Amino acid sequence: MSARAFSISHEDRAKLIQGAFEAKKGTYSPYSKFPVGAALLAADGTLIKGANVENASYGGTICAERTAIVKAVSDGIRSFVGLAVVTNVPAAISPCGLCRQVIREFCHLNMPVLLVPADYPQTLKEGEEPKPGYTEGGVKETTLGELLPDSFGPEDLELPRQGDGGGV
Ligand SMILES: [Zn+2]
């Protein structure tokens, strides 16, 4: 466990990890052949699953993380306590930049983000120490703020502004 205090319980962690694996089954990724599953845990305990949904017009592709966020928000769920992401790669794979920004719209910067290896739970060899930032089972535990430092968010649009805009 890293020195940082994550506000996620063991139970919620397990729920998120399992949810991400289940979410990945919904992938539609015939082009990239890179299935991704994301699970979002809402403050009310609801687990929202999302998979990546690709498109023959590649720009229409939607990542798993954004699928989950959009499903939740459009159902009226806007308060989240954790996110887990898993791919078929046996290593921690991070959300893309676009997803980080979309997550930022609705989630606290200190919200835990669990990057789960495909071969979870990984086991450490005798005497081996987990890498910094990694926890039980080979999960990389980070936060939205670490993934998207110095970010722009909704509150920035509330700041007082100089002039009427449209010039110097
Ligand atoms: Zn993405």
Side-chain angles (χ1 to χ4, degrees), residues 62-66 94-100 103:
I62 304 172
C63 302
E65 300 91 323
R66 277 180 290 140
S94 268
C96 77
L98 184 52
C99 284
R100 293 176 196 205
I103 295 163

Side-chain angles (χ1 to χ4, degrees), residues 44 46-48 67-78 80:
D44 68 359
T46 307
L47 190 74
I48 304 100
T67 300
I69 280 270
V70 167
K71 279 175 71 177
V73 172
S74 64
D75 276 344
I77 302 170
R78 295 186 183 174
F80 305 101

Side-chain angles (χ1 to χ4, degrees), residues 1-2 10 13-14 17 114-117 120-124 130-131 133-141:
M1 193 74 189
S2 71
H10 229 76
R13 185 182 189 276
I17 292 170
L114 311 177
L115 307 176
V116 185
Y120 173 87
Q122 294 177 344
T123 48
L124 292 172
K131 288 181 279 181
Y134 285 77
T135 57
E136 179 267 315
V139 175
K140 184 172 185 180
E141 295 198 5

